[in-house]
Amino acid sequence: QAKEQGRNGYQIYDESMNAKALERIILESQLHKALKEEEFIVYYQPQVSNQSGRVVGIEALVRWNSKELGLVEPGRFLPLAEEIGLVIQIDQWVMREACRQHKLWLDAGFPPVTLAINISGQQFMKNELLETVTSVLKESGLDPGLLELELTEGVLMAHTERTVKTLQALKGMGVRLAIDDFGTGFSSLSYLKRFPLDVLKIDRTFINDITTDPDDAAITLATIEMAHTMKLKVIAEGVETKPQLDFLTKNGCDMYQGYLFSKPVPSTELPRLFNRWQ
Ligand code: C2E
Ligand code: MG
Ligand code: MG
Ligand code: MG
């Protein structure tokens, strides 16, 4: 049969489809268990000031430490978690855990850096977001000014009226707001003016070729300049090389985050990074 189909690889295609479907079934059943048994862990990636060279923030990034599958990256399970309605619970768990951990670091004398948390579209659209943030802050005792919520363009663009209200309420609590992956959506900076944001994160697809692709360089420069006129701080994501960093520093980018400084690390490794860079 396979031979009859010639060399088009239908057979292989079928098998890989089956493998995909199988992975999905396995992931789905495992994900429910993962929440129950708290198999998720939070990694942290430092955000560094271009001016001082110091760590000024950390971003919490979830991983799934599965007994069956090993360490699973968010790209492999978050889309499915969104589909089956588990992402809100995962997000809430991450926020709780990261705020708890950050308070421990602060109490131990580590510097009062910002803690950035990713908020999925589903969590943002839920009315409970305000309640969740309120209760997590109360529970952990973390200063609201040290908590930064990262939202993507898509989430902000979806429902303008309500979005503005929610963001204003969060601002009212003293929480900081960031727009993540900027440049990948279709929003213009002038549109963003209506949102009370503090930070803009330039997506790493632009940073990647910043020293070789004049278009990416121009987009990045224009973004930094306009963000600054809007009083936003700018973080470059995915900085991997010294030439990229030099370009960004020369052009007034405020902070950077990327493998050049550090990959995301488990909580046990963060004190070492703090100590080395203060
Ligand atoms: P993001 O929020 O844009 O996070 C940055 C991603 O870029 C992270 O991937 C990080 O490991 C990666 N990265 C950082 N520096 C570099 C670099 O120099 N080079 C390269 N190639 N990559 C770099 P990660 O941890 O796999 O997370 C992927 C995405 O998953 C995140 O993108 C975010 O959208 C989502 N995510 C992660 N944790 C959570 C969470 O707790 N809740 C929600 N809703 N989403 C999350
Ligand atoms: Mg992020
Ligand atoms: Mg991003
Ligand atoms: Mg992303």
Side-chain angles (χ1 to χ4, degrees):
Q1 165 98 51
K3 203 171 172 196
E4 270 176 42
Q5 285 169 350
R7 298 170 64 94
N8 289 331
Y10 288 123
Q11 200 73 18
I12 291 163
Y13 181 68
D14 270 345
E15 271 167 29
S16 79
M17 287 301 284
N18 283 338
K20 272 213 171 116
L22 190 64
E23 151 142 327
R24 205 194 128 97
I25 291 164
I26 293 171
L27 280 180
E28 182 166 343
S29 68
Q30 296 288 325
L31 261 181
H32 285 278
K33 191 176 78 89
L35 254 176
K36 257 195 300 191
E37 299 184 5
E38 298 212 14
E39 288 186 341
F40 297 106
I41 57 172
V42 183
Y43 274 43
Y44 300 87
Q45 187 177 35
Q47 301 174 330
V48 182
S49 158
N50 279 341
Q51 213 201 343
S52 66
R54 291 187 174 168
V55 177
V56 289
I58 47 178
E59 178 175 4
L61 295 157
V62 71
R63 270 98 183 93
W64 173 15
N65 199 0
S66 161
K67 279 184 208 83
E68 287 77 11
L69 306 162
L71 197 66
V72 190
E73 303 271 312
R76 219 177 120 202
F77 67 89
L78 282 183
L80 179 62
E82 297 226 10
E83 246 181 82
I84 61 179
L86 285 182
V87 75
I88 296 178
Q89 280 165 272
I90 297 174
D91 277 5
Q92 288 177 344
W93 182 85
V94 170
M95 197 191 291
R96 271 218 160 73
E97 170 59 20
C99 288
R100 186 196 64 82
Q101 175 62 70
H102 193 29
K103 188 64 169 53
L104 288 180
W105 281 323
L106 292 167
D107 289 346
F110 288 108
V113 302
T114 304
L115 169 68
I117 304 279
N118 292 283
I119 303 292
S120 67
Q122 281 181 34
Q123 199 193 7
F124 187 71
M125 290 334 278
K126 272 264 174 181
N127 287 320
E128 306 144 38
L129 178 61
L130 294 176
E131 285 155 48
T132 304
V133 173
T134 308
S135 85
V136 167
L137 284 173
K138 201 170 149 206
E139 228 175 82
S140 63
L142 189 70
D143 170 1
L146 294 183
L147 180 63
E148 186 168 286
L149 303 181
E150 293 192 0
L151 303 145
T152 61
E153 279 177 274
V155 170
L156 293 180
M157 302 293 285
H159 303 273
T160 316
E161 286 293 301
R162 235 183 92 195
T163 297
V164 172
K165 287 213 178 83
T166 308
L167 294 181
Q168 280 169 348
L170 289 165
K171 278 297 335 158
M173 295 167 56
V175 168
R176 294 163 58 86
L177 300 171
I179 181 159
D180 201 356
D181 304 342
F182 185 80
T184 56
F186 299 97
S187 57
S188 68
L189 277 168
S190 60
Y191 186 89
L192 289 178
K193 244 172 84 174
R194 70 188 74 190
F195 305 125
L197 302 168
D198 303 283
V199 173
L200 182 150
K201 301 185 73 174
I202 303 176
D203 192 72
R204 91 174 127 83
T205 51
F206 297 102
I207 307 303
N208 208 18
D209 300 327
I210 208 176
T211 55
T212 49
D213 183 333
D215 290 338
D216 287 347
I219 291 167
T220 301
L221 290 188
T223 306
I224 294 172
E225 211 164 290
M226 286 178 75
H228 282 164
T229 15
M230 289 166 54
K231 306 273 192 295
L232 302 178
K233 294 278 183 226
V234 182
I235 301 185
E237 296 189 297
V239 177
E240 295 182 355
T241 69
K242 186 72 170 55
Q244 289 169 344
L245 177 61
D246 290 343
F247 178 95
L248 291 162
T249 308
K250 194 178 85 200
N251 291 291
C253 184
D254 304 288
M255 289 162 265
Y256 77 98
Q257 184 180 342
Y259 295 171
L260 178 64
F261 186 82
S262 170
K263 289 195 171 188
V265 296
S267 63
T268 47
E269 284 178 41
L270 206 66
R272 194 175 45 84
L273 288 180
F274 275 139
N275 286 331
R276 189 149 54 104
W277 293 94
Q278 281 315 304

